[in-house]
Amino acid sequence: AEAVRLAAQYRPDLVLMDIVMHGMDGLSALRLIGATQPDVRVAMLSSVGGRASLAEEAFRLGAIQVLGKPIEPGQITRLLEGVKQRED
């Protein structure tokens, strides 16, 4: 719920959040962010191995990327560069 609130408050270009979170799960947060702020891009992190259905659902809900954990710093850099290129 806090991710949704902060995205509404700050209107970022990109939100990076986990699929599995306490309270509201990441897919529900993605759904709300997409419904209220369609210009905000959302990338998801997932440590849930073997659950391709979660990644598929994230993409269906509008995620631009699903990164598996652990992630390397270069993956985040490439993600940010991709968002920047779409803005130009």
Side-chain angles (χ1 to χ4, degrees):
E2 186 176 8
V4 175
R5 181 184 64 74
L6 290 172
Q9 180 179 351
Y10 292 106
R11 317 259 313 138
D13 295 325
L14 175 68
V15 172
L16 178 61
M17 68 181 160
D18 208 318
I19 287 179
V20 178
M21 299 187 298
H22 298 289
M24 179 184 295
D25 66 86
L27 294 177
S28 295
L30 171 61
R31 186 177 295 111
L32 287 172
I33 291 170
T36 59
Q37 302 165 78
D39 294 337
V40 175
R41 294 175 187 96
V42 179
M44 307 296 293
L45 297 172
S46 177
S47 62
V48 185
R51 296 285 305 272
S53 61
L54 289 176
E56 290 171 9
E57 181 69 3
F59 284 122
R60 189 184 71 71
L61 293 171
I64 62 166
Q65 183 80 334
V66 177
L67 301 169
K69 290 183 192 175
I71 60 173
E72 297 177 18
Q75 289 178 287
I76 294 176
T77 301
R78 287 188 295 279
L79 176 65
L80 293 171
E81 288 170 349
V83 169
K84 175 69 175 134
Q85 287 175 358
R86 289 185 197 118
E87 291 176 351
D88 292 341

